[in-house]
Amino acid sequence: MGDAKVRFSDIYLATEPYIRSVGQVLIGAAGIGWKAAEGETEALEGVTIPGLTMPAGMLALQRDDLRRLQWQRVARGYGLRVFMKNGTLHKLDGFTADDYENLRDAVTRLLRGLTLETRDISTKGWNWGKPDFESTTMTFRVDNRPMFDLPMSHVSNTNLANKNE
C-alpha cells in the first residue's frame, strides 16, 4: 500500500455477516486494509465477505473501488462506513473520537479524490421512520437523519400501511 500508511488498532470488522473479530486498519495510497489480530482468524473461517482473503484474515479495499467514506457514532465508539463502487458496504467499528482528525487527514492525503463525510445519527429513540434505499441497505430516517440500517437481504414480508391501519 505504498510507503505512507496510517494505522489504527483494535478495530472490529462489522461487515455483514456480523462477526466479532478485531484487527488493525491500514490506510495507504493503494486503499484501505483490515487485518485480523493474531488468534482472531478463527472467527472468520467459513465467512464470505467480498475482499476478505483467508487464511490470512485480510480485507483489502482498493482505492479505485472506493466510492464513499462515512464517519459515524456506533455502539463501540465510532465507525467507518466504506461504500464500494459495486454496491458493497463495509463497516469498521472501534475508532475513538480522537481518531477522527487522523483518519480525515489520512483520507485527504492518501486517498485523493475522496473525503470523509460525517453521518449524524438520529437519537430520538423511535423504532420507525421513512425508508431510504442505498446500495444493498435500507435506512430508516427520522427528521431526515438516519436512525438505523437494515441489509436488504434481511428484509421480507413487507406491506404498505393504508389509512385504515
Side-chain angles (χ1 to χ4, degrees), residues 11-154:
I11 304 299
Y12 290 85
L13 179 61
T15 300
E16 186 191 337
Y18 303 106
I19 54 173
R20 183 164 164 59
S21 188
V22 69
Q24 289 186 351
V25 169
L26 270 76
I27 298 177
I32 299 172
W34 176 88
K35 182 163 178 25
E38 193 172 323
E40 292 285 326
T41 55
E42 296 83 31
L44 301 171
E45 289 180 17
V47 173
T48 303
I49 296 174
L52 182 68
T53 58
M54 291 302 289
M58 181 156 192
L59 176 68
L61 307 174
Q62 299 301 315
R63 164 63 189 96
D64 292 339
D65 297 334
L66 303 177
R67 186 169 58 95
R68 248 170 84 194
L69 301 173
Q70 285 183 336
W71 173 265
Q72 73 174 24
R73 186 85 169 97
V74 295
R76 291 186 185 111
Y78 290 86
L80 178 65
R81 293 165 40 105
V82 181
F83 293 87
M84 307 298 289
K85 289 180 180 174
N86 67 4
T88 303
L89 169 63
H90 292 286
K91 298 177 185 179
L92 301 165
D93 294 351
F95 292 93
T96 65
D98 296 336
D99 291 334
Y100 174 75
E101 287 185 21
N102 289 337
L103 184 61
R104 184 195 62 208
D105 293 346
V107 168
T108 302
R109 185 171 38 92
L110 299 171
L111 302 175
R112 300 192 193 283
L114 287 173
T115 57
L116 183 61
E117 304 169 13
T118 300
R119 184 178 191 227
D120 292 322
I121 303 293
S122 177
T123 56
K124 287 196 173 193
W126 299 348
N127 64 352
W128 56 272
K130 180 181 177 189
D132 186 24
F133 302 92
E134 182 177 10
S135 296
T136 59
T137 304
M138 178 173 64
T139 301
F140 283 94
R141 296 184 174 276
V142 174
D143 293 337
N144 209 25
R145 292 172 69 185
M147 175 66 108
F148 61 89
D149 302 319
L150 290 172
M152 288 300 293
S153 61
H154 292 199

